[in-house]
Amino acid sequence: MEGEKKVTLNLILAVGTAVIGSLQFGYNTGVINAPQKIIESFYNETWLDRYGEVIPDSALTSLWSISVAIFSVGGIFGSFSVGLFVNRFGRRNSMLMANVLAFLAAALMGFSKMGSSWEMLIIGRFVVGLYSGLSTGFVPMYVGEVAPTALRGALGTLHQLGIVIGILVAQVFGIDTIMGNADLWPFLLGFTFIPALLQCILLPMCPESPRYLLINRNEEHKAKAVLKKLRGNTDVSADMLEMKEESRQMMSEKKVTIPELFRSPVYRQPLVIAIVLQLSQQLSGINAVFYYSTAIFEKAGVEQPVYATIGAGVVNTAFTVVSLFLVERAGRRSLHLIGLLGMAASAVLMTIALALLNRETPVEWMSYVSIIAIFAFVAFFEIGPGPIPWFIVAELFSQGPRPSAFAVSGFSNWTANFIVGMCFQYVERLCGPYVFIIFTVFLVAFFIFTYFKVPETKGRTFDEIAAGFSQRAATGAVKHSPEELNSLGADSQL
């Protein structure tokens, strides 16, 4: 077990380099919000130059909404394309190739002002969304496959840590004294070039996934050499034996396509769990809270709400680190349940505070309660629903259906992200301070589902998790082949 818990330089390099893709996703999620007014001014100036009139409000709203939402559309397409790359080119090479999109997006967005073209900015947002969608599949898969069993959950949490650090960096860089001003906003959007360049330099030094080398490419000697580097140990016989067993099962189990994943009843339960956990992340209301936080901080009398929002970003990052240390002790299921319940309680508290603030005679001190509720909401999100849905998919499926499962769960996440982003402002206008009651209902529903349907995967082997799902499948009316039953579960040696 001690060998399994050893963190080597090669393992740090591999995981750290991969997580640059997560940081890019977070950065491009958060970067567009701070310079909104400045970019809208750019749209107005460009419109005036082209058409000789001030841009109509409806056209400006539409252009801005498209600029924000097109990122999620790109993410939907990118996440659904994960399986096309990882089996053909490998996990590491897929991440390397995806950086072409990051460079293209940086060029389009960075030169959009010089070219007086909002089309360049919008296309750039779509392209960086494609890149981010691919990264949300590539990174957790690669990290899960290079990590030893005892560190799989902790290292899997680094994907979410990369995302929240990216969001925090975007918030800080977006301050008007840094890059969130009329002169430097193209550099703010084009900054994505720097992490992409760094990842391109580092990735060739990182090993390919040993699982991919042995199971997909049948290159045993290479897989063994990679494992020795990653584990810092010459005796990797236990890892090799486990992978060979999975490889043996794969011989009788063909690769599972997305339509087959939906058609086969034996995959139904793990697939539903993977999708619902992804939905629990996006429909929890976390993006809505960040959207609404500036207005709440303004009501609380904060002179510079942007700094309070950065404070929420710091809480976001800090509790992701807390989750990193807790996930192998408390377990995935337990942390997810605690996170959902804490978020629901925080949402109720936020609703009460906002309702009392919106009265004709507002209860002034409730503004501080609302700030505490926001920080608590963000903290509970990062304990469970933030990191866990990303890496638990790797634990629910073996090598055969895993790429397709990542594509479907990523598609679910990005689609929910898009729906919340597009609909929240309209629903908020309709419901006012009671908008978070909707998210509370979702959170309670996800808590009930997790309590009754989601198994604990911490420290469990491939056979143990597979047996749990296979037992349920065997009790059904449909008889399933041994090949199908073998493909279920998590190989906990991920």
Side-chain angles (χ1 to χ4, degrees):
M1 190 70 176
E2 278 307 307
E4 282 194 346
K5 284 200 170 183
K6 187 176 180 182
V7 179
T8 63
L9 191 62
N10 282 305
L11 183 61
I12 292 169
L13 177 66
V15 173
T17 303
V19 166
I20 291 173
S22 314
L23 186 140
Q24 289 271 57
F25 169 36
Y27 184 84
N28 287 289
T29 299
V31 75
I32 199 76
N33 297 322
Q36 178 178 349
K37 299 294 180 192
I38 293 159
I39 293 173
E40 284 178 342
S41 296
F42 160 69
Y43 287 168
N44 188 32
E45 288 164 17
T46 308
W47 188 282
L48 192 62
D49 286 343
R50 285 188 193 178
Y51 307 113
E53 61 180 23
V54 174
I55 189 170
D57 286 344
S58 58
L60 183 60
T61 304
S62 297
L63 275 177
W64 178 253
S65 297
I66 292 166
S67 304
V68 175
I70 201 76
F71 176 72
S72 298
V73 176
I76 290 168
F77 283 105
S79 64
F80 221 54
S81 307
V82 167
L84 299 175
F85 288 86
V86 287
N87 288 332
R88 189 173 288 118
F89 304 109
R91 280 61 164 148
R92 184 195 64 178
N93 291 341
S94 294
M95 289 189 287
L96 196 58
M97 290 165 66
N99 279 304
V100 172
L101 295 172
F103 290 132
L104 178 60
L108 284 165
M109 294 186 292
F111 290 108
S112 58
K113 184 183 179 185
M114 194 181 293
S116 297
S117 171
W118 63 67
E119 294 89 349
M120 284 174 67
L121 194 154
I122 289 168
I123 295 167
R125 287 283 294 168
F126 174 76
V127 173
V128 85
L130 272 176
Y131 167 82
S132 299
L134 289 168
S135 291
T136 55
F138 295 162
V139 176
M141 192 182 300
Y142 178 77
V143 171
E145 292 184 2
V146 299
T149 307
L151 296 172
R152 192 183 64 224
L155 293 178
T157 304
L158 290 176
H159 171 60
Q160 181 67 14
L161 182 61
I163 293 171
V164 298
I165 289 173
I167 292 170
L168 182 59
V169 169
Q171 288 171 337
V172 172
F173 282 5
I175 296 170
D176 57 3
T177 53
I178 301 178
M179 283 194 281
N181 53 58
D183 295 322
L184 296 177
W185 69 261
F187 294 101
L188 181 69
L189 298 186
F191 181 79
T192 192
F193 175 88
I194 304 296
L197 184 63
L198 181 62
Q199 194 178 46
C200 283
I201 293 167
L202 294 176
L203 270 174
M205 304 177 201
C206 300
E208 181 52 272
S209 157
R211 261 184 160 62
Y212 170 77
L213 290 172
L214 180 70
I215 298 172
N216 294 76
R217 298 288 297 273
N218 200 25
E219 295 178 356
E220 184 175 334
H221 291 298
K222 279 188 181 179
K224 196 168 185 177
V226 165
L227 274 174
K228 285 178 181 178
K229 282 183 181 179
L230 288 169
R231 303 291 182 261
N233 195 340
T234 53
D235 182 16
V236 291
S237 53
D239 283 291
M240 289 299 293
L241 190 67
E242 186 276 324
M243 288 197 300
K244 282 179 181 176
E245 173 60 22
E246 187 177 351
S247 182
R248 186 190 63 75
Q249 292 171 351
M250 282 280 291
M251 295 299 176
S252 56
E253 171 205 358
K254 65 184 178 68
K255 288 185 181 71
V256 180
T257 63
I258 290 170
E260 287 167 343
L261 198 63
F262 280 100
R263 280 199 300 264
S264 175
V266 79
Y267 299 127
R268 191 164 294 147
Q269 179 147 3
L271 185 63
V272 167
I273 289 170
I275 291 171
V276 172
L277 287 183
Q278 293 289 351
L279 294 179
S280 74
Q281 186 186 85
Q282 290 300 330
L283 299 180
S284 65
I286 188 66
N287 289 333
V289 161
F290 270 107
Y291 170 84
Y292 208 50
S293 60
T294 304
I296 296 169
F297 292 137
E298 281 173 350
K299 282 181 185 174
V302 178
E303 287 184 15
Q304 293 283 350
V306 65
Y307 293 112
T309 303
I310 289 170
V314 171
V315 172
N316 208 11
T317 306
F319 275 86
T320 306
V321 175
V322 171
S323 175
L324 194 150
F325 290 105
L326 288 178
V327 71
E328 291 299 354
R329 291 179 174 84
R332 292 85 159 114
R333 180 177 176 273
S334 305
L335 286 180
H336 199 66
L337 287 169
I338 291 166
L340 290 168
L341 200 60
M343 288 178 81
S346 302
V348 170
L349 187 62
M350 206 183 311
T351 302
I352 293 167
L354 287 173
L356 291 173
L357 277 170
N358 275 14
R359 294 195 316 177
E360 284 186 22
T361 52
V363 182
E364 296 294 339
W365 60 271
M366 273 293 163
S367 59
Y368 300 103
V369 174
S370 66
I371 292 172
I372 292 166
I374 284 180
F375 283 5
F377 193 91
V378 168
F380 279 113
F381 174 77
E382 292 305 348
I383 284 173
I388 287 165
W390 289 119
F391 68 83
I392 203 168
V393 182
E395 301 184 321
L396 296 173
F397 294 91
S398 66
Q399 203 84 352
R402 190 180 294 142
S404 294
F406 262 105
V408 171
S409 60
F411 177 82
S412 307
N413 187 290
W414 279 98
T415 304
N417 186 333
F418 174 73
I419 291 167
V420 171
M422 285 299 288
C423 298
F424 177 75
Q425 55 186 332
Y426 301 107
V427 176
E428 189 269 323
R429 273 187 215 144
L430 194 68
C431 302
Y434 300 101
V435 66
F436 290 104
I437 291 294
I438 297 168
F439 294 117
T440 306
V441 171
F442 276 125
L443 287 162
V444 171
F446 291 132
F447 178 88
I448 293 166
F449 177 88
T450 303
Y451 185 84
F452 288 106
K453 294 291 184 183
V454 178
E456 180 55 76
T457 58
K458 176 179 76 98
R460 294 176 69 191
T461 65
F462 173 87
D463 289 331
E464 286 169 344
I465 299 175
F469 285 122
S470 300
Q471 192 175 11
R472 290 189 186 93
T475 58
V478 183
K479 290 191 76 175
H480 309 294
S481 67
E483 291 83 2
E484 280 185 312
L485 295 177
N486 277 341
S487 71
L488 273 172
D491 57 287
S492 82
Q493 311 305 321
L494 271 179

